[in-house]
Amino acid sequence: MMEIDGSYGEGGGQLVRTAVALSAITSRPVKITNIRKNRPNPGLKPQHLKALETAAMVCSARVSGLSPGSTEFSFSPVEIKGGKYRIDIGTAGSIPLLLQCLMPALPFAEEKIELTVRGGTDVAWSPTIDYLQHVTLQALEKMGYAGRVKLQERGYYPKGGGTVLATFEPCKLRGFQFKNPKNKLNLEVQGISHVSNLPSHVAARQAEAAKTLLLEEGYSPDIGTECFELFSTGSGITLWTGFFGGSALGKKGLPAEKVGRQAAGEILPELRSLAAVDIHLADQLIPYMALAGNSSYTARELSMHTKTNIWITEQFLDVKFRIREKDGLFEVSVD
């Protein structure tokens, strides 16, 4: 059984999610120790447990150590099974992060996999469901990935209650070289500003603040608004164009205008750079690039998440990533 030090690099949930996905793909049992060792509250949290339990269910895996606060667990996959699954994360655990744990492995099932997941769609410390749909999956489609998500209901912290239908088809990944768009000012920045159980003007003000900043930089924004009365209360905005995204969430006492400016402020540095992908997509692409081969991208910086994902991927697969710094960008490639 392979043993992985869960405190390596970023030392958080990302390492655990990637390790489990690659264990499922390679059929290599794995034991992960020192999970989230350097965090204020070490060990597995409820949202990690639900992702790992779901992975075990889809892979018919034998597991041990899956309990709140556990700093060590083992995962021994059998096979990735197609079919329909219903998962309730509970409260506002992140649906995108749960899917992130499963998605690299799902193309290797022999049949289609359909997941109905209930939890949080727009929560802190996680990609939003709109980012997953409009940035991550659009990038993976270029690599032959066959997955789609349909937002049925949004869920915000702390109550959650959001629902997403995600469908994945068996497919063969292919290499892809992500290139910087020649003129990013020609890109139309799209977005959605949304609220639940709040006045509609909150969504409008978030959108208008983001539009103002984007227009000042010469971009053409098209940001829609959505207003709901749902199980949970909250607001947020996600912006995207090509392989770049930005998002922000509302919270009590935070003006709507500031939320909109935060989202624009996240995507604008990516658009100003000559990078091919944003810094968040850069870490998400790593396992898919290794599985597909012959892939590359440039990013304006390499986060610790990206470096950790490269390390854990190289532990499971017979690949070696190359990192080259040139003209203020990082080029990441794999044969």
Side-chain angles (χ1 to χ4, degrees), residues 87-240:
I87 303 108
D88 189 344
I89 300 174
T91 64
S94 168
I95 293 174
L97 287 183
L98 181 141
L99 292 175
Q100 196 177 85
C101 179
L102 304 173
M103 281 172 51
L106 300 185
F108 296 88
E110 292 188 2
E111 298 177 344
K112 179 173 76 172
I113 291 179
E114 185 176 290
L115 304 168
T116 302
V117 191
R118 183 173 171 84
T121 60
D122 298 86
V123 296
W125 310 110
S126 164
T128 65
I129 195 65
D130 298 299
Y131 183 96
L132 178 68
Q133 181 176 11
H134 296 289
V135 181
T136 306
L137 283 173
Q138 292 303 308
L140 293 180
E141 186 178 311
K142 297 292 186 182
M143 305 180 74
Y145 193 88
R148 60 187 182 275
V149 296
K150 181 180 180 182
L151 173 63
Q152 296 183 324
E153 185 171 314
R154 292 191 186 273
Y156 304 90
Y157 179 84
K159 293 175 69 175
T163 306
V164 169
L165 175 63
T167 307
F168 303 92
E169 303 276 357
C171 60
K172 182 174 176 57
L173 295 176
R174 59 178 180 266
F176 188 78
Q177 284 72 45
F178 292 89
K179 302 292 186 183
N180 170 51
K182 287 186 170 61
N183 187 353
K184 289 183 179 177
L185 285 176
N186 290 334
L187 297 174
E188 181 183 61
V189 178
Q190 296 180 291
I192 189 71
S193 176
H194 48 87
V195 299
S196 170
N197 303 322
L198 294 170
S200 60
H201 66 74
V202 174
R205 287 160 52 207
Q206 289 177 166
E208 192 58 36
K211 284 180 184 177
T212 299
L213 277 186
L214 290 164
L215 285 168
E216 288 175 358
E217 295 271 346
Y219 295 98
S220 301
D222 179 13
I223 305 172
T225 59
E226 294 178 347
C227 305
F228 305 102
E229 293 181 4
L230 304 174
F231 176 71
S232 59
T233 298
S235 74
I237 178 172
T238 300
L239 308 171
W240 64 87

